Every structure is written in structure tokens, then in C-alpha cells.
Amino acid sequence: MTDLLIIAGARPNFMKVASIVDGAAHAGLSSALVHTGQHYDAELSDVFFAELGLPEPDAHLGVGSGTHAEQTARIMTAFEPVLRRFDPAVVVVVGDVNSTLACSLVAAKEHYPIAHVEAGLRCHDFHMAEEINRRLCDHLSTFLFTTSRDARDNLVQEGIPDERIEFVGNTMIDTLLRSADAARERHAAERLGVPSPYALLTLHRPENVDRRPILEGLLEAVYTISAELPVVLPVHPRTAARIESFGLERFLASDEIHVCPSLGYLDFLGLLADAKVVLTDSGGVQEEATVLGVPCVTLRESTERPITVEAGTNVVVGTRPDAIIAAARDALNGRRGPRQIPELWDGRAGERIAERLAEEILELEGAVSANA
Ligand code: UD1
């Protein structure tokens, strides 16, 4: 029997599972890795496996893209026999992507305990697929591992028993701390021909890129900022497609805006570490910027990661061009308060999770042999 069946599907999952795979090995737990195939392009998937030293997945579901229903259903159908084959003690899911929810639903209905890593984050915006995914997954889980203390409050308010929740730190930051030196040594900005200092931009949320007026306003702000500081944009496939279909290429037609395809983990981390400011609608980048001390301007109306605002470098400004430009200027002028590294973001979250699960599995096995 496998101790842990660990699920990964999309780009931000890979950094999180890398730390859990390592933690499991140190704790003497056997683990198997399932890749759902939600992300499949080399630059969104293979490059992460190679750079993070992740093992080849033990099962690859190859589900690909689709509508939410199509993708979720395909993952569920493909995961069910894999789950039965591995028959794990615990299914481990991370984050809030469609793969997280789909595999949790299957595991819960097959009566397997689920460990949700990054539990309890809430932005209270039900228009976001991720908010639906994370909320439902939390309510299906037996073990809820959180990255910050506010997450426990969210979970308890929703009626989740306190004893299921454990504050362990941040697995994505475990991987960042292990990789930061190697990332800087790659000199990604220089290789991409981006002069320093520069601003880094990431955009991929459907709420931002699928609506023409919002995307146009965002690009307009970026165009203005680029006159003061060069901007580099590693462009997500979804965003590239929307810019083309909405005919917005003119906003990127500037020598001060450097557009490149999605980058691998190390190149992106290196670019982020050396950026003067990052403008982003990603969840993970808010956390990475906090730890690296890079001012972060979040292009959303809310964040599920308030710790990055309270302790970190993050300001949440929404999508109005004037607000974005003002926040970017503040960051350039260094108008920011003191910054702290959030509690337990110390590189050891994966170990804590594995140790806790090892204890639980021992107890479970003890109970089974006592009943035999
Ligand atoms: C997904 C996650 C999001 C996460 C993001 C990181 C959900 C609901 N969303 O969003 O939380 O922040 O990943 O990137 O799970 N595509 C490719 N190649 C790929 C994968 C996707 O070209 O390898 C294109 C396809 O046109 C696809 C679109 O990108 O339809 C969106 O991909 P999808 O995985 O559905 O959502 P993301 O926007 O990447």
C-alpha cells in the first residue's frame, strides 16, 4: 500500500508537491505522484519537473484543457481507477486548481482521507473558480494544512473542526528558499535582453484577461509605466490568445515592453528576485514577492493571502489604470513600510506535513492491526 498519493496538475502545484515529495522521503513514507495533465505544454509542466528534480509521475492522466465541467469530469473519471490501483493511506492535494477539487471529490466518495495543503485561504469572491475549488476541497478534507494563522479562523468559522487544522507554513516557499541561489545564477534578465531595473508583469486570470475592457485598461496602465521603467511580460497562453483576439497588440508595441513566452520556474524566480516591482494577478507570486522583498502590486479586487499585505510587500489595487500607475510609482519611490517574513515560512513546511501524516498513518495501521 502506498502511504501518500500526491496530486499535481497545473503550474503552481509543482513547486508545492516538490517539497512534500521530499518531506515524505525524509519521514520514511512511500509516495506516488499523479499528474492530471491539466497543464501539458513543456513550459508549463516538463520544465518544472526537470528544474525541481521531481520524479516522473507514477500516473499521468493526460486530461488537457476544456471548460471547467469538461476538465473536472475528465480528471475525475481518469483518477478513479488510479486511486483504486494505488489504494493510498492518504490522498494529498495542493492549492486550488481544478485538479485539486476533482481528485478530492473522487477520493472523498471512495472514503480515502484527504490532506489539503494550503487550506483555509479565502478571498470571498465566488466568481473565481479557485475560491470554489478551495472551499469545497477544504470541506472534503480530513487534514487541513495552512500557510497562515488567518486560514484557521476562516475554516473554524465555516464549521470545520479545529483538530483537523494544522498551521505548517508554506510549501511553495520551501521550494523557493531551496532554489533562489540557482535561480539568480541563471541571469534571466540579461539573457532575455531586459535592462535593469525593470518591472515584471504576470497576467492570466480569466477575470482580467477574458474581458476586453479590463484587459485593455491593464495594458494601458502597463504602457504608461513602461515609459518610466521597462516592463517584462512572460505571457501565459490564455493571455496571448486574448491579446490577439481582442486586437490589443498595439499596447505591447514598445521597445520598453519585453514580451516572452511563459518561463520555467528558475528563470521566473530569478527575474522576480531582481525586479524593482512586480505587477501580478497570480496568488503565488504575491507570496514569492513577499519572501524576496520585492514590492508587489496585485491587479485584483481582493486577495486570499492577506498575510502578504499585512506582513509582506503586497498592495491590492484592483484593475483601474490610475490606481495601478500610482501604486507602481509608490513602489519605484520606495514608499513602503517595514516588511517581515510570515511566520513559519522557513523552508520546513513539507517536513512538518510529512511528519504529521506519518504519525496519523502509524495510528491508522495500529488501529487496523488491533482489529485484525
Ligand atoms: C490554471 C488554474 C489557476 C492557476 C493557473 C496557473 C484552474 C481553475 N485555474 O489556470 O488557478 O493560477 O492554472 O497557470 O484550475 N493552456 C495551454 N497549455 C497548457 C495549459 C493551458 O495552452 O499547458 C491554455 C489552454 O488554451 C487553456 C488555457 O490555457 O484553455 C487555460 O488553461 P487552464 O488550465 O484551464 O487554466 P489556467 O488559466 O492556466
Side-chain angles (χ1 to χ4, degrees), residues 303-324:
T303 181
E304 62 288 337
R305 291 162 161 91
I307 191 80
T308 61
V309 176
E310 289 150 21
T313 57
N314 192 17
V315 285
V316 180
V317 299
T319 55
R320 276 192 8 251
D322 54 343
I324 297 167

Side-chain angles (χ1 to χ4, degrees), residues 51-64:
E51 291 182 355
L52 297 170
L54 274 166
E56 281 287 304
D58 297 279
H60 198 302
L61 310 183
V63 299

Side-chain angles (χ1 to χ4, degrees), residues 15-323:
M15 295 84 101
K16 296 169 194 169
V17 300
S19 163
I20 301 167
V21 167
D22 283 355
H26 282 116
L29 293 174
S30 60
S31 69
L33 184 61
V34 176
H35 189 331
T36 65
Q38 177 174 345
H39 282 178
Y40 44 86
D41 280 350
E43 65 267 25
L44 294 184
S45 176
D46 299 4
V47 67
F48 284 77
F49 272 72
E51 291 182 355
L52 297 170
L54 274 166
E56 281 287 304
D58 297 279
H60 198 302
L61 310 183
V63 299
S65 301
T67 65
H68 285 278
E70 286 165 349
Q71 190 173 60
T72 307
R74 279 207 296 267
I75 298 169
M76 290 179 70
T77 312
F79 181 55
E80 194 175 54
V82 171
L83 175 62
R84 289 183 183 150
R85 175 152 59 89
F86 283 95
D87 189 26
V90 179
V91 174
V92 181
V93 295
V94 300
D96 52 21
V97 301
N98 285 346
S99 301
T100 311
L101 176 61
C103 293
S104 302
L105 278 168
V106 175
K109 294 206 169 184
E110 291 285 309
H111 311 298
Y112 285 89
I114 299 164
H116 185 205
V117 174
E118 208 182 84
L121 297 182
R122 298 288 182 269
C123 68
H124 306 285
D125 177 358
F126 259 108
H127 286 107
M128 286 184 64
E130 291 80 2
E131 182 75 358
I132 299 171
N133 292 343
R134 60 173 85 97
R135 227 175 240 256
L136 296 181
C137 177
D138 281 340
H139 285 264
L140 297 171
S141 296
T142 307
F143 307 107
L144 295 103
F145 293 112
T146 64
T147 53
S148 56
R149 291 195 182 274
D150 52 288
R152 178 186 296 270
D153 302 337
N154 292 333
L155 293 168
V156 169
Q157 267 169 29
E158 289 173 20
I160 291 179
D162 195 50
E163 62 273 13
R164 290 196 198 167
I165 307 165
E166 187 155 331
F167 172 37
V168 290
N170 192 321
T171 53
M172 199 183 62
I173 300 305
D174 294 353
T175 298
L176 180 152
L177 295 175
R178 272 171 226 167
S179 315
D181 288 346
R184 281 199 169 98
E185 277 161 21
R186 292 170 66 92
H187 304 290
E190 215 174 290
R191 283 192 357 260
L192 292 168
V194 180
S196 280
Y198 58 85
L200 177 62
L201 169 68
T202 85
L203 270 183
H204 75 284
R205 294 262 164 227
E207 303 78 25
N208 281 346
V209 305
D210 287 357
R211 289 185 280 175
R212 191 180 198 283
I214 304 276
L215 184 56
E216 187 166 350
L218 289 168
L219 295 180
E220 209 180 294
V222 170
Y223 190 83
T224 305
I225 293 165
S226 74
E228 294 165 43
L229 188 73
V231 177
V232 51
L233 168 62
V235 67
H236 186 284
R238 174 197 286 278
T239 311
R242 296 300 179 271
I243 290 172
E244 195 188 332
S245 66
F246 296 148
L248 299 174
E249 294 93 337
R250 66 184 181 285
F251 289 105
L252 301 178
S254 152
D255 289 346
E256 304 307 329
I257 302 182
H258 302 259
V259 181
C260 57
S262 286
L263 295 170
Y265 178 62
L266 293 176
D267 277 343
F268 182 80
L269 189 59
L271 262 190
L272 176 59
D274 291 336
K276 184 86 178 154
V277 57
V278 60
L279 306 153
T280 188
D281 60 6
S282 151
V285 172
Q286 298 169 49
E287 296 182 341
E288 292 171 328
T290 281
V291 170
L292 294 165
V294 176
C296 178
V297 176
T298 293
L299 311 173
R300 287 172 44 191
E301 303 301 332
S302 60
T303 181
E304 62 288 337
R305 291 162 161 91
I307 191 80
T308 61
V309 176
E310 289 150 21
T313 57
N314 192 17
V315 285
V316 180
V317 299
T319 55
R320 276 192 8 251
D322 54 343

